[in-house]
Amino acid sequence: MSSPSPNVVLVTGGTGLVGQAIKHVIETEPEGSRFGKQPGEKWIFASSKEGDLRDPAQTRALYEKYQPTHVIHLAALVGGLFKNMKYKMTFLRDNLLINDNVLEAAHEKNTQKVISCLSTCVFPDKVEYPLDETKIHTGPPHQSNFGYAHAKRLVDVQNHAYKEQYGHNFTSAIPTNVFGPHDNFDLEDSHVIPGLIHKCYLAKKNGTPFIVAGTGKPLRQFIFSYDLAKLFIWMLREYDDVEPVILSVGEDEEVSIKEVADAIVKAVDFKGDYTFDTTRADGQFRKPASNKKLLTLMGGFEFTPFPEALDLTVKWFVENYDKARTGAAGKA
Ligand code: NAP
Ligand code: GFB
């Protein structure tokens, strides 16, 4: 009996924060190891320049070009709280189109496996905590990002429909807030950690005040992109169920935005004062997610300590400032 031909793994959104983290892990972990590349395996990290996945024809062309056996589907319109609040329709429509095209092309090509990427903001805002995988559809998401949240929730519905009608092995991961090298550091559209790293860096460089948006009270869990990358590779190799899996640090790792700002001040070595602009939105107060299912299935996982992961991210940002995504304002 001939051995199955090596996998061809297509990572959509391969040039982003999470995509580049998977590339880093696959290229640095020993070949054949649990999180390493398998002998003969081919990995493709696609950008939007190779095909706009909002367009069905360009999506089919990408599958035709690479003939993937497996897909890690990361491509999406992504942004922090303030961008989500401004562009709810664009977040809904762009992500609906991207997800529908990627899953339908996988159906047409009978791709062996697709892992899509949701986010803990898909969960209902008013629900008993902690959040777990059974609570996705049990109430409306927070109003600050309902466009993105509903588009992402629908992927879970699509996966179940493709499984029931065609038997496809399409599943999804639900990461919590992610940070790391190659993130989007745009001052306005980014998530909190890259946004504050950039603001603190400029405050230190220009001797200007470091201003944190909101009250600093909201609580979040943050996963380092390199850890998340390993968890995606584990799902690719060892998880074959349509039900989603939360990929997150533990509930006890929840930190306040003020604690995050304090840690960034330390990591950037900023000596000045910083203030809170309470005229800006806090968004959802908290979204504590349980990682019990993940740790039970994986038999445990060692997460990178937050201060160490933050230092690595700040170091990457400072060393790559000129080529990092800093947005127009960042380069002024
Ligand atoms: P990111 O850094 O903004 O990268 C987005 C990726 O998607 C890029 O490679 C981009 O390509 C690609 N892309 C965007 N629009 C596209 C289109 N129309 N056609 C083809 N490709 C397109 O995002 P990320 O933070 O890595 O997010 C990856 C996944 O994780 C997303 O599904 C996101 O929803 C999810 N997630 C992120 C977080 C977080 O905190 N960042 C938390 C939970 C879940 P270009 O480089 O060519 O633009
Ligand atoms: O990371 P963030 O934009 O996303 O904001 P969410 C987290 C918290 O940080 C909010 C505060 O309470 C903000 O008020 N914050 C303080 C800042 N300073 C800043 C700053 O300079 N920039 C930003 N962005 N926030 C997103 C969802 O919600 O989570 C997305 O809108 C996605 O759809 C993402 O799911 C993972 O955690 O509030």
Side-chain angles (χ1 to χ4, degrees):
M1 194 177 76
S2 65
S3 62
S5 58
N7 297 341
V8 176
V9 186
L10 170 65
V11 181
T12 73
T15 45
L17 163 69
V18 183
Q20 286 292 298
I22 294 178
K23 190 167 184 293
H24 169 80
V25 169
I26 280 293
E27 289 174 354
T28 54
E29 290 287 315
E31 183 156 308
S33 67
R34 190 177 195 188
F35 304 120
K37 192 166 172 289
Q38 299 308 310
E41 209 168 51
K42 190 172 166 217
W43 285 72
I44 300 112
F45 296 90
S47 80
S48 63
K49 296 173 193 59
E50 282 199 75
D52 182 342
L53 298 173
R54 292 170 297 181
D55 175 79
Q58 293 185 44
T59 307
R60 285 197 192 92
L62 193 68
Y63 275 76
E64 217 44 61
K65 181 176 174 185
Y66 293 114
Q67 303 288 330
T69 56
H70 297 68
V71 175
I72 297 180
H73 171 39
L74 304 174
L77 177 62
V78 179
L81 170 65
F82 307 118
K83 187 173 180 181
N84 266 272
M85 290 169 70
K86 255 189 287 186
Y87 304 108
K88 288 175 182 167
M89 191 56 223
T90 315
F91 272 93
L92 177 63
R93 191 149 191 279
D94 280 14
N95 288 313
L96 280 175
L97 291 169
I98 291 172
N99 298 334
D100 183 50
N101 291 331
V102 167
L103 292 175
E104 185 60 10
H107 162 58
E108 290 164 1
K109 297 292 289 179
N110 203 16
T111 305
Q112 286 177 34
K113 186 172 187 173
V114 178
I115 305 170
S116 294
C117 191
L118 311 185
S119 170
T120 53
C121 75
V122 302
F123 285 106
D125 182 35
K126 306 229 173 334
V127 68
E128 194 193 323
Y129 293 144
L131 305 171
D132 68 45
E133 291 83 354
T134 66
K135 296 177 179 171
I136 295 183
H137 305 288
T138 57
H142 192 265
Q143 47 79 29
S144 64
N145 52 37
F146 71 73
Y148 172 88
H150 278 298
K152 289 286 187 178
R153 272 187 190 194
L154 206 60
V155 171
D156 179 50
V157 177
Q158 289 164 295
N159 288 344
H160 281 85
Y162 275 114
K163 177 159 183 72
E164 288 186 23
Q165 187 169 345
Y166 304 109
H168 286 309
N169 182 13
F170 298 171
T171 188
S172 61
I174 314 178
T176 188
N177 292 44
V178 191
F179 71 100
H182 301 280
D183 205 340
N184 176 2
F185 293 83
D186 182 283
L187 294 169
E188 187 58 19
D189 293 349
S190 65
H191 292 100
V192 60
I193 289 184
L196 290 183
I197 288 174
H198 193 177
K199 287 173 182 170
C200 194
Y201 169 87
L202 291 176
K204 180 180 176 184
K205 189 165 141 242
N206 307 334
T208 49
F210 171 44
I211 302 172
V212 177
T215 64
K217 295 197 174 82
L219 302 171
R220 298 286 186 272
Q221 289 157 291
F222 295 99
I223 186 167
F224 184 44
S225 59
Y226 290 2
D227 292 343
L228 178 61
K230 289 177 180 170
L231 301 180
F232 265 105
I233 294 165
W234 163 77
M235 277 187 87
L236 183 76
R237 307 235 187 273
E238 301 175 39
Y239 184 77
D240 290 307
D241 189 299
V242 67
E243 297 303 334
V245 186
I246 291 172
L247 304 183
S248 174
V249 294
E251 294 149 65
D252 54 349
E253 306 268 343
E254 236 186 338
V255 286
S256 73
I257 298 304
K258 178 172 183 327
E259 287 168 311
V260 171
D262 291 344
I264 288 171
V265 162
K266 191 158 173 279
V268 173
D269 191 28
F270 175 69
K271 300 282 183 249
D273 307 338
Y274 79 86
T275 56
F276 290 90
D277 174 359
T278 55
T279 67
R280 307 221 58 193
D282 270 342
Q284 194 165 10
F285 182 68
R286 59 191 300 236
K287 36 186 173 178
S290 163
N291 65 358
K292 209 159 102 229
K293 176 176 177 178
L294 169 70
L295 297 186
T296 309
L297 289 168
M298 273 195 93
F301 180 80
E302 205 177 315
F303 293 95
T304 308
F306 183 73
E308 184 188 326
L310 197 58
D311 285 345
L312 273 168
T313 306
V314 169
K315 186 168 177 296
W316 182 89
F317 177 67
V318 173
E319 287 169 2
N320 295 279
Y321 188 77
D322 293 336
K323 65 176 198 286
R325 288 181 285 168
T326 54
K331 292 282 192 280

